[in-house]
Amino acid sequence: MIYRLAFTVARMAAGLAFVGFAAPALAAPLDVAQSEVTATFKQFNVPVSGNFRKFSGDVQYNPATPSDTKATLSVETASYDLGDPEYNKEVAGKDWFDSKNHPKATFLITGVTGAGNNLQATGDLTVRGIKKPLKFPVKIQTAGGKHTFTGKTQIKRLDFKVGADGEWGDTSLVADEVVIDFKLVMPAN
C-alpha cells in the first residue's frame, strides 16, 4: 500500500502542471466536473494511477494570441485518490504530500510558445513548498462552446521531496518519475 501511495503523491505533483493549460479569452474557472488530472508512477515497475479529485483554476486564453495565456491552478493534495482509503491517507501523510502542512500544490503559467495546436506551456510548479520550472506540450480543441486542453508531462517526485525519506527514497521500490495526464475543460465564451 505504501509504495502505491508514494506513486500517487508524485502523480499529484504532476497533476498540478496540467491544470495550467486551459483558458478562454477572459479569465474563467475550470469546469472541474469535465476536467481530470491523473498522476501515474511505477511501484515495483508496475504502473499505478490515481486522480486528484479537488482542484480549481483560472485561465485567460485567446486562440489569436496564445502567448498571452495566463493561468493559475491549485490542487488539494489530500484529494489524490488511489482507489483505497488507506493508500489515500498514506499519500496525504507527512512522508508524501504532507497535506496538513502543504494542503495545496500550485501551477502558475508564465509563458506559452508555439502556434495552432502545437503549444508549449512554461511555468512554475510548487509542491510541498518547493518551486520548480516546468515545460510541457498541450493540445487544444474547441467545440460545443468549450476549450479542452490535453497534455502529458513527467516530473520527478524526489525534486519535490515527495516520498523522499526512508524506504520511499529508494527508487527501485517507487520510481522517481511521475507522469501527469490532464484534460482541462473551460468555457470558450
Side-chain angles (χ1 to χ4, degrees), residues 140-155:
I140 303 169
Q141 292 183 330
T142 301
K146 297 183 182 197
H147 293 302
T148 301
F149 301 82
T150 57
K152 179 184 288 195
T153 191
Q154 181 174 292
I155 65 166

Side-chain angles (χ1 to χ4, degrees), residues 73-110:
L73 168 69
S74 180
V75 175
E76 292 185 27
T77 58
S79 76
Y80 189 66
D81 185 3
L82 290 168
D84 182 288
E86 288 300 315
Y87 294 158
N88 296 349
K89 183 178 178 183
E90 177 73 24
V91 172
K94 188 172 183 170
D95 291 340
W96 292 101
F97 283 119
D98 191 14
S99 296
K100 180 178 179 184
N101 293 309
H102 304 283
K104 297 189 185 237
T106 60
F107 181 71
L108 175 64
I109 284 187
T110 57

Side-chain angles (χ1 to χ4, degrees), residues 2-165:
I2 294 175
Y3 296 110
R4 193 171 181 189
L5 203 38
F7 191 66
T8 301
V9 171
R11 289 180 69 189
M12 192 179 302
L16 291 179
F18 294 135
V19 175
F21 284 122
L26 299 174
L30 291 172
D31 180 343
V32 294
Q34 293 186 30
S35 300
E36 55 187 52
V37 177
T38 301
T40 302
F41 60 95
K42 289 187 178 179
Q43 180 176 325
F44 296 117
N45 209 30
V46 175
V48 178
S49 293
N51 292 333
F52 288 93
R53 298 293 181 197
K54 294 182 181 179
F55 55 89
S56 61
D58 291 314
V59 181
Q60 285 183 289
Y61 170 74
N62 184 334
T65 57
S67 61
D68 294 339
T69 299
K70 306 270 188 255
T72 302
L73 168 69
S74 180
V75 175
E76 292 185 27
T77 58
S79 76
Y80 189 66
D81 185 3
L82 290 168
D84 182 288
E86 288 300 315
Y87 294 158
N88 296 349
K89 183 178 178 183
E90 177 73 24
V91 172
K94 188 172 183 170
D95 291 340
W96 292 101
F97 283 119
D98 191 14
S99 296
K100 180 178 179 184
N101 293 309
H102 304 283
K104 297 189 185 237
T106 60
F107 181 71
L108 175 64
I109 284 187
T110 57
V112 174
T113 58
N117 203 23
N118 296 308
L119 301 175
Q120 289 280 325
T122 303
D124 294 315
L125 175 63
T126 304
V127 180
R128 290 183 58 120
I130 300 168
K131 181 171 31 172
K132 299 280 182 183
L134 185 63
K135 184 175 184 176
F136 52 95
V138 65
K139 301 282 184 189
I140 303 169
Q141 292 183 330
T142 301
K146 297 183 182 197
H147 293 302
T148 301
F149 301 82
T150 57
K152 179 184 288 195
T153 191
Q154 181 174 292
I155 65 166
K156 294 188 179 254
R157 67 180 176 87
L158 296 178
D159 287 351
F160 299 94
K161 303 210 183 291
V162 173
D165 295 327

